[in-house]
């Protein structure tokens, strides 16, 4: 049968649990955006990414001005067995909102880490125009796996494993 955990640790809480400083004002802004428009923002289907909050250049600059020195951008995708990704925006390709977020954040911050909370590959051609200093491929973290992300960020553990997949920069790079 299906079992549902009583408490799942999300990525932000996992970072906080491990002592990583998180911009509370930005986190609260995101949570309010999510809460205010939860029903309209939740267009989750087996073939789409969740909608994402826009991060204009001014918001990225405000967070940096409050003292943040490293930006973490989390991209999520839903995938499952027997559901191939489609070569469309919001699935294999980034949405315009995601691409704008990455461009804006990477133009403001000197250090940018991309966290891929995905179970498959995405297009990485945006790396040609956006400066990303590190990419952490988490796959799906499970109920308490987000604490591990905090340990990785702090350098307490090193996630060196062989992935059972090939990650190409562009769709056309696959054979």
């Amino acid at each position: 049968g299906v079992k549902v955990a009583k408490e799942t640790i999300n990525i932000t809480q996992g970072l906080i649990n491990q002592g990583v400083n998180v911009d509370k004002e930005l986190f609260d802004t995101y949570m309010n955006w999510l809460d205010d428009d939860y029903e309209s923002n939740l267009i989750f289907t087996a073939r789409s990414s969740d909608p994402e909050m826009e991060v204009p250049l001014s918001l990225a600059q405000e967070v940096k001005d409050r003292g943040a020195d490293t930006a973490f951008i989390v991209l999520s995708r839903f995938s499952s067995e027997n559901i191939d990704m489609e070569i469309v925006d919001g699935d294999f390709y980034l949405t315009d909102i995601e691409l704008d977020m990455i461009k804006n954040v990477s133009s403001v911050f000197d250090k940018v880490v991309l966290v891929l909370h995905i179970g498959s590959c995405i297009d990485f051609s945006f790396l040609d125009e956006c400066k990303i200093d590190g990419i952490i491929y988490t796959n799906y973290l499970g109920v308490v796996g987000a604490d591990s992300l905090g340990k990785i960020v702090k350098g307490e553990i090193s996630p060196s494993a062989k992935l059972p997949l090939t990650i190409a920069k562009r769709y056309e790079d696959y054979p």
Side-chain angles (χ1 to χ4, degrees):
V2 174
K3 298 196 181 211
V4 178
K6 289 184 180 180
E7 182 177 330
T8 299
I9 298 171
N10 67 38
I11 289 175
T12 304
Q13 191 59 52
L15 293 171
I16 292 168
N17 289 351
Q18 298 306 314
V20 176
N21 291 326
V22 172
D23 187 277
K24 182 169 176 14
E25 192 171 330
L26 177 61
F27 179 69
D28 289 345
T29 298
Y30 181 76
M31 294 307 292
N32 287 333
W33 171 84
L34 193 62
D35 287 343
D36 288 347
D37 295 319
Y38 185 77
E39 291 299 321
S40 63
N41 287 325
L42 191 63
I43 58 168
F44 178 80
T45 68
R47 286 199 157 86
S48 69
S49 61
D50 288 331
E52 192 51 72
M53 182 181 88
E54 293 185 38
V55 180
L57 198 58
S58 59
L59 179 56
Q61 188 62 55
E62 288 172 22
V63 173
K64 184 175 182 183
D65 290 347
R66 286 196 293 268
D69 62 356
T70 303
F72 287 82
I73 300 170
V74 179
L75 293 180
S76 296
R77 292 287 187 274
F78 173 79
S79 62
S80 179
E81 294 178 20
N82 300 318
I83 300 175
D84 291 337
M85 290 188 79
E86 293 186 10
I87 310 305
V88 297
D89 294 353
D91 210 1
F92 184 77
Y93 292 110
L94 300 182
T95 64
D96 289 341
I97 290 175
E98 291 170 327
L99 185 56
D100 287 345
M101 172 178 55
I102 293 170
K103 286 179 180 179
N104 291 341
V105 171
S106 65
S107 70
V108 169
F109 282 86
D110 296 326
K111 294 184 268 181
V112 179
V113 176
L114 180 63
V115 178
L116 299 175
H117 188 242
I118 60 178
S120 55
C121 301
I122 60 169
D123 178 71
F124 285 105
S125 62
F126 65 89
L127 294 174
D128 291 337
E129 52 187 302
C130 301
K131 184 185 82 56
I132 302 292
D133 299 290
I135 299 174
I136 301 173
Y137 180 87
T138 66
N139 205 295
Y140 297 122
L141 294 168
V143 177
V144 295
D147 278 340
S148 297
L149 180 60
K151 290 178 182 180
I152 291 166
V153 168
K154 290 180 66 181
E156 294 175 4
I157 58 175
S158 177
S160 54
K162 294 180 181 179
L163 297 175
L165 53 102
T166 299
I167 300 176
K169 191 171 188 180
R170 293 176 178 76
Y171 178 73
E172 297 78 19
D173 295 338
Y174 290 105

